[in-house]
Amino acid sequence: MRIGELAERFDLAPHVLRHWEAMGLLTPAARVNGRRRYTRDHVVRVLTIIRAKAGGMSLEQIREVLDATGRAERRALLQAQHAELERKLQEIAASKRLIEHLMECGAEDFTQCPDYRRMVESATALHDEPGDTCVI
Amino acid sequence: MRIGELAERFDLAPHVLRHWEAMGLLTPAARVNGRRRYTRDHVVRVLTIIRAKAGGMSLEQIREVLDATGRAERRALLQAQHAELERKLQEIAASKRLIEHLMECGAEDFTQCPDYRRMVESATALHDEPGDTCVI
DNA sequence: CTGCAAGTTAATGTCAACATGAGGTCAAGC
DNA sequence: GCTTGACCTCATGTTGACATTAACTTGCAG
């Protein structure tokens, strides 16, 4: 399988696969006259990379997981990533609820809506000292 | 309220607020001897920006929503953003399920696990033509 | 044999969202 | 009057994940 075929299969540009290779994520099975050749296993690997990216991992993080030797090491990395995903889920759910309210509320200047202020406050970690004089 | 105080309140660097201003997201209420002055309303605005960023919006998108005049225009923007958040939720949930399986599975080379291959396939939009000879 | 599409490396450009640094201003405290 | 610290503008640097371009080689059709 040549680079063009593999790239087209996932609607990627070939240089993306070369980039991933340069980043240490995807080493071709062989070279034929200098051209890269890939196998079925590489298809799974590319799928894995795409899925991991969709979950918000950086190429560096993906490389760590793919390179991890042994179950223990990989488990630790995955644990961290799992927690991170859970955090993101909460974060996005909060933003979503906020938007739902904004659409219902319909006040001309939504920053003046007391409901909105309450939601924003509760959804954001405040670094206020307790007893601060400026009450938002 | 000076820029340093507002920034510290959210654990931001002052130059971040200046950057947001340069991007058209946050205009100070006034200037005193050239120094920016902010009000309580700006606190809400900063919170809004932070929350929107946490939801994955770009500064440009945030500016559009904040600048939107009229309920209709804002509603349209929010609708789009709401759909986008829903998509992200699904995406992240899929990645999370994948990771959960990886942690349970524990095969030495997880890319060989048939369960894994099935999950990755189902979780990724494939651009294969039906009847393609290479069956992953 | 001649083209041409697809591959190669290497260098450089892009984009967003800041970060950093230079050089200057301003009010307060000693 | 002099220092200190927070502020100012303007310019340039950084990061991650590519995108683009240049200049070259190779595989295959006609």
Side-chain angles (χ1 to χ4, degrees):
Chain A
M1 202 177 193
R2 284 163 301 164
I3 196 170
E5 304 175 57
L6 183 56
E8 193 188 10
R9 191 175 282 264
F10 300 105
D11 205 22
L12 298 171
H15 67 75
V16 174
L17 299 182
R18 290 191 205 102
H19 178 61
W20 290 355
E21 181 178 342
M23 299 293 104
L25 277 87
L26 187 71
T27 310
R31 294 271 188 152
V32 179
N33 286 319
R35 314 306 177 68
R36 293 164 175 83
R37 286 300 159 90
Y38 301 92
T39 69
R40 276 167 237 78
D41 285 354
H42 288 91
V43 175
V44 178
R45 202 170 172 100
V46 169
L47 276 167
T48 304
I49 296 172
I50 290 175
R51 199 87 278 291
K53 274 174 56 67
M57 289 176 75
S58 72
L59 298 187
E60 169 69 12
Q61 287 177 310
I62 297 170
R63 198 185 49 71
E64 283 178 1
V65 174
L66 290 175
D67 285 2
T69 60
R71 282 174 285 277
E73 185 185 353
R74 204 168 61 223
R75 229 191 118 78
L77 291 168
L78 290 177
Q79 284 276 4
Q81 184 60 17
H82 188 264
E84 174 68 11
L85 287 182
E86 180 58 33
R87 206 190 51 70
K88 277 188 192 170
L89 275 182
Q90 298 304 323
E91 192 95 321
I92 289 180
S95 296
K96 204 171 146 230
R97 281 194 302 275
L98 198 64
I99 284 187
E100 278 156 12
H101 176 74
L102 276 186
M103 291 197 296
E104 285 167 19
C105 172
E108 194 48 50
D109 182 1
F110 64 87
T111 61
Q112 299 301 320
C113 165
D115 284 357
Y116 173 74
R117 294 195 170 207
R118 225 179 304 114
M119 290 190 74
V120 166
E121 272 183 67
S122 69
T124 306
L126 282 167
H127 299 271
D128 282 340
E129 294 140 37
D132 196 301
T133 48
C134 174
V135 198
I136 55 171
Chain B
M1 202 176 190
R2 284 163 302 162
I3 195 169
E5 304 174 59
L6 182 56
E8 194 188 11
R9 190 175 282 263
F10 300 105
D11 205 22
L12 297 170
H15 66 74
V16 174
L17 299 182
R18 289 191 206 103
H19 179 61
W20 291 354
E21 181 178 342
M23 298 293 104
L25 277 87
L26 188 70
T27 310
R31 295 269 187 154
V32 180
N33 286 319
R35 314 306 176 70
R36 295 164 175 82
R37 286 301 159 88
Y38 301 93
T39 69
R40 275 167 239 77
D41 284 354
H42 288 91
V43 175
V44 178
R45 202 168 171 100
V46 170
L47 276 167
T48 304
I49 295 170
I50 290 175
R51 199 84 279 289
K53 273 174 57 68
M57 289 176 76
S58 72
L59 297 188
E60 169 68 13
Q61 287 177 308
I62 297 171
R63 197 185 49 70
E64 282 178 1
V65 174
L66 290 175
D67 285 2
T69 60
R71 282 173 286 276
E73 184 184 355
R74 203 168 61 225
R75 229 189 118 79
L77 290 168
L78 291 177
Q79 284 276 5
Q81 184 60 17
H82 189 264
E84 174 69 13
L85 287 181
E86 180 57 32
R87 206 190 51 71
K88 277 189 191 170
L89 273 184
Q90 297 305 321
E91 192 94 320
I92 291 182
S95 296
K96 201 170 150 230
R97 281 194 301 276
L98 199 63
I99 285 188
E100 277 156 12
H101 176 74
L102 276 185
M103 292 196 298
E104 285 167 18
C105 170
E108 194 47 53
D109 182 0
F110 64 87
T111 61
Q112 298 302 320
C113 166
D115 284 358
Y116 173 73
R117 295 195 171 206
R118 225 179 304 112
M119 291 190 75
V120 166
E121 270 184 70
S122 69
T124 306
L126 284 168
H127 300 270
D128 282 339
E129 293 143 36
D132 196 301
T133 48
C134 173
V135 198
I136 54 171

Short mmCIF file of all heavy atoms in Angstrom, two decimals, chain A residues 15 20 33 35 53 58-59, chain D residues 17-20 25-27:
data_model
loop_
_atom_site.label_atom_id
_atom_site.label_comp_id
_atom_site.label_asym_id
_atom_site.label_seq_id
_atom_site.Cartn_x
_atom_site.Cartn_y
_atom_site.Cartn_z
N HIS A 15 1.10 14.28 2.98
CA HIS A 15 2.11 14.91 3.84
C HIS A 15 1.74 14.85 5.31
O HIS A 15 2.62 15.00 6.17
CB HIS A 15 2.36 16.35 3.40
CG HIS A 15 1.20 17.26 3.60
ND1 HIS A 15 0.84 17.73 4.84
CD2 HIS A 15 0.30 17.78 2.74
CE1 HIS A 15 -0.20 18.51 4.71
NE2 HIS A 15 -0.56 18.54 3.46
N TRP A 20 3.30 12.68 10.58
CA TRP A 20 3.14 11.76 11.70
C TRP A 20 4.36 10.87 11.82
O TRP A 20 4.79 10.53 12.93
CB TRP A 20 1.87 10.92 11.51
CG TRP A 20 0.61 11.72 11.66
CD1 TRP A 20 0.51 13.04 12.03
CD2 TRP A 20 -0.74 11.27 11.45
NE1 TRP A 20 -0.81 13.43 12.05
CE2 TRP A 20 -1.59 12.36 11.71
CE3 TRP A 20 -1.29 10.06 11.08
CZ2 TRP A 20 -2.98 12.27 11.59
CZ3 TRP A 20 -2.67 9.97 10.97
CH2 TRP A 20 -3.51 11.07 11.22
N ASN A 33 12.17 1.29 -3.59
CA ASN A 33 12.76 2.39 -4.36
C ASN A 33 12.56 3.73 -3.64
O ASN A 33 12.24 4.73 -4.26
CB ASN A 33 12.15 2.46 -5.76
CG ASN A 33 12.66 1.34 -6.63
OD1 ASN A 33 13.84 1.01 -6.59
ND2 ASN A 33 11.77 0.73 -7.38
N ARG A 35 10.15 4.60 -1.86
CA ARG A 35 8.74 4.92 -1.57
C ARG A 35 8.27 4.11 -0.37
O ARG A 35 8.56 2.93 -0.26
CB ARG A 35 7.84 4.59 -2.77
CG ARG A 35 8.32 5.04 -4.14
CD ARG A 35 8.63 6.50 -4.17
NE ARG A 35 9.17 6.99 -5.41
CZ ARG A 35 8.52 7.09 -6.57
NH1 ARG A 35 7.31 6.62 -6.69
NH2 ARG A 35 9.08 7.62 -7.62
N LYS A 53 -6.78 11.68 18.34
CA LYS A 53 -6.82 13.11 18.07
C LYS A 53 -8.21 13.66 18.30
O LYS A 53 -8.38 14.74 18.86
CB LYS A 53 -6.39 13.39 16.63
CG LYS A 53 -4.88 13.53 16.46
CD LYS A 53 -4.50 13.66 15.00
CE LYS A 53 -5.20 14.82 14.32
NZ LYS A 53 -4.79 16.14 14.82
N SER A 58 -2.70 15.24 21.97
CA SER A 58 -1.67 15.77 21.08
C SER A 58 -0.92 14.61 20.45
O SER A 58 -0.96 13.48 20.95
CB SER A 58 -0.70 16.65 21.86
OG SER A 58 0.11 15.85 22.69
N LEU A 59 -0.21 14.89 19.38
CA LEU A 59 0.57 13.84 18.72
C LEU A 59 1.58 13.25 19.70
O LEU A 59 1.83 12.05 19.70
CB LEU A 59 1.28 14.41 17.48
CG LEU A 59 0.37 14.95 16.37
CD1 LEU A 59 1.18 15.32 15.15
CD2 LEU A 59 -0.71 13.97 16.01
P DA D 17 0.14 18.56 18.32
OP1 DA D 17 -1.01 17.93 19.01
OP2 DA D 17 1.46 17.93 18.35
"O5'" DA D 17 -0.31 18.77 16.80
"C5'" DA D 17 -1.54 19.44 16.55
"C4'" DA D 17 -1.63 19.77 15.08
"O4'" DA D 17 -0.75 20.87 14.79
"C3'" DA D 17 -1.21 18.62 14.15
"O3'" DA D 17 -2.14 18.51 13.08
"C2'" DA D 17 0.16 19.08 13.65
"C1'" DA D 17 -0.09 20.58 13.59
N9 DA D 17 1.12 21.39 13.47
C8 DA D 17 2.38 21.10 13.89
N7 DA D 17 3.27 22.03 13.63
C5 DA D 17 2.52 23.01 12.99
C6 DA D 17 2.87 24.25 12.45
N6 DA D 17 4.11 24.75 12.46
N1 DA D 17 1.87 24.99 11.88
C2 DA D 17 0.62 24.49 11.86
N3 DA D 17 0.19 23.33 12.33
C4 DA D 17 1.20 22.63 12.89
P DC D 18 -2.25 17.11 12.28
OP1 DC D 18 -3.50 17.17 11.50
OP2 DC D 18 -2.03 16.03 13.22
"O5'" DC D 18 -1.02 17.14 11.28
"C5'" DC D 18 -1.16 17.53 9.94
"C4'" DC D 18 -1.37 19.02 9.79
"O4'" DC D 18 -0.28 19.71 10.42
"C3'" DC D 18 -1.41 19.48 8.34
"O3'" DC D 18 -2.66 20.05 8.04
"C2'" DC D 18 -0.29 20.48 8.20
"C1'" DC D 18 0.04 20.85 9.65
N1 DC D 18 1.47 21.19 9.78
C2 DC D 18 1.93 22.44 9.38
O2 DC D 18 1.13 23.25 8.90
N3 DC D 18 3.24 22.73 9.51
C4 DC D 18 4.07 21.85 10.04
N4 DC D 18 5.35 22.18 10.16
C5 DC D 18 3.63 20.55 10.46
C6 DC D 18 2.33 20.26 10.32
P DA D 19 -3.12 20.03 6.51
OP1 DA D 19 -4.56 20.36 6.48
OP2 DA D 19 -2.64 18.78 5.90
"O5'" DA D 19 -2.30 21.24 5.87
"C5'" DA D 19 -2.66 22.59 6.13
"C4'" DA D 19 -1.94 23.51 5.17
"O4'" DA D 19 -0.55 23.63 5.54
"C3'" DA D 19 -1.97 23.11 3.69
"O3'" DA D 19 -2.27 24.27 2.95
"C2'" DA D 19 -0.56 22.56 3.44
"C1'" DA D 19 0.28 23.35 4.43
N9 DA D 19 1.45 22.67 5.00
C8 DA D 19 1.49 21.44 5.59
N7 DA D 19 2.68 21.11 6.06
C5 DA D 19 3.48 22.20 5.74
C6 DA D 19 4.83 22.48 5.96
N6 DA D 19 5.66 21.64 6.60
N1 DA D 19 5.31 23.67 5.53
C2 DA D 19 4.48 24.51 4.91
N3 DA D 19 3.17 24.36 4.64
C4 DA D 19 2.73 23.17 5.09
P DT D 20 -2.38 24.25 1.36
OP1 DT D 20 -3.41 25.24 0.98
OP2 DT D 20 -2.51 22.84 0.92
"O5'" DT D 20 -0.98 24.82 0.85
"C5'" DT D 20 -0.30 25.79 1.64
"C4'" DT D 20 1.05 26.11 1.03
"O4'" DT D 20 2.08 25.34 1.68
"C3'" DT D 20 1.17 25.78 -0.46
"O3'" DT D 20 1.69 26.94 -1.09
"C2'" DT D 20 2.14 24.60 -0.51
"C1'" DT D 20 2.97 24.84 0.73
N1 DT D 20 3.58 23.63 1.36
C2 DT D 20 4.90 23.69 1.77
O2 DT D 20 5.60 24.66 1.61
N3 DT D 20 5.36 22.55 2.36
C4 DT D 20 4.66 21.38 2.59
O4 DT D 20 5.18 20.43 3.15
C5 DT D 20 3.29 21.39 2.15
C7 DT D 20 2.44 20.18 2.36
C6 DT D 20 2.82 22.50 1.56
P DT D 25 17.42 13.77 -9.83
OP1 DT D 25 18.77 13.20 -9.63
OP2 DT D 25 17.01 14.30 -11.15
"O5'" DT D 25 16.36 12.68 -9.38
"C5'" DT D 25 16.38 12.14 -8.04
"C4'" DT D 25 15.33 11.06 -7.91
"O4'" DT D 25 14.00 11.63 -8.04
"C3'" DT D 25 15.41 9.93 -8.94
"O3'" DT D 25 15.23 8.70 -8.25
"C2'" DT D 25 14.25 10.23 -9.89
"C1'" DT D 25 13.25 10.85 -8.94
N1 DT D 25 12.23 11.77 -9.54
C2 DT D 25 10.90 11.44 -9.41
O2 DT D 25 10.50 10.45 -8.85
N3 DT D 25 10.04 12.36 -9.98
C4 DT D 25 10.38 13.52 -10.63
O4 DT D 25 9.51 14.25 -11.09
C5 DT D 25 11.79 13.78 -10.74
C7 DT D 25 12.26 15.01 -11.44
C6 DT D 25 12.64 12.91 -10.18
P DT D 26 15.55 7.31 -8.98
OP1 DT D 26 16.33 6.51 -8.01
OP2 DT D 26 16.06 7.57 -10.33
"O5'" DT D 26 14.11 6.64 -9.12
"C5'" DT D 26 13.12 6.89 -8.12
"C4'" DT D 26 11.78 6.34 -8.56
"O4'" DT D 26 11.00 7.39 -9.16
"C3'" DT D 26 11.77 5.19 -9.55
"O3'" DT D 26 10.96 4.17 -8.97
"C2'" DT D 26 11.20 5.77 -10.83
"C1'" DT D 26 10.34 6.91 -10.29
N1 DT D 26 10.15 8.12 -11.15
C2 DT D 26 8.88 8.58 -11.39
O2 DT D 26 7.88 8.05 -10.95
N3 DT D 26 8.82 9.72 -12.16
C4 DT D 26 9.88 10.41 -12.71
O4 DT D 26 9.69 11.42 -13.37
C5 DT D 26 11.18 9.87 -12.43
C7 DT D 26 12.40 10.56 -12.98
C6 DT D 26 11.26 8.76 -11.67
P DG D 27 10.60 2.82 -9.69
OP1 DG D 27 10.43 1.79 -8.63
OP2 DG D 27 11.53 2.62 -10.82
"O5'" DG D 27 9.15 3.14 -10.29
"C5'" DG D 27 8.06 3.42 -9.41
"C4'" DG D 27 6.74 3.26 -10.15
"O4'" DG D 27 6.53 4.40 -11.01
"C3'" DG D 27 6.62 2.03 -11.05
"O3'" DG D 27 5.27 1.57 -10.95
"C2'" DG D 27 6.96 2.57 -12.44
"C1'" DG D 27 6.49 4.01 -12.37
N9 DG D 27 7.31 4.99 -13.08
C8 DG D 27 8.68 4.98 -13.21
N7 DG D 27 9.13 6.02 -13.86
C5 DG D 27 7.99 6.76 -14.18
C6 DG D 27 7.84 7.98 -14.87
O6 DG D 27 8.72 8.69 -15.36
N1 DG D 27 6.51 8.38 -14.96
C2 DG D 27 5.46 7.67 -14.44
N2 DG D 27 4.26 8.20 -14.62
N3 DG D 27 5.57 6.53 -13.79
C4 DG D 27 6.87 6.14 -13.70
#
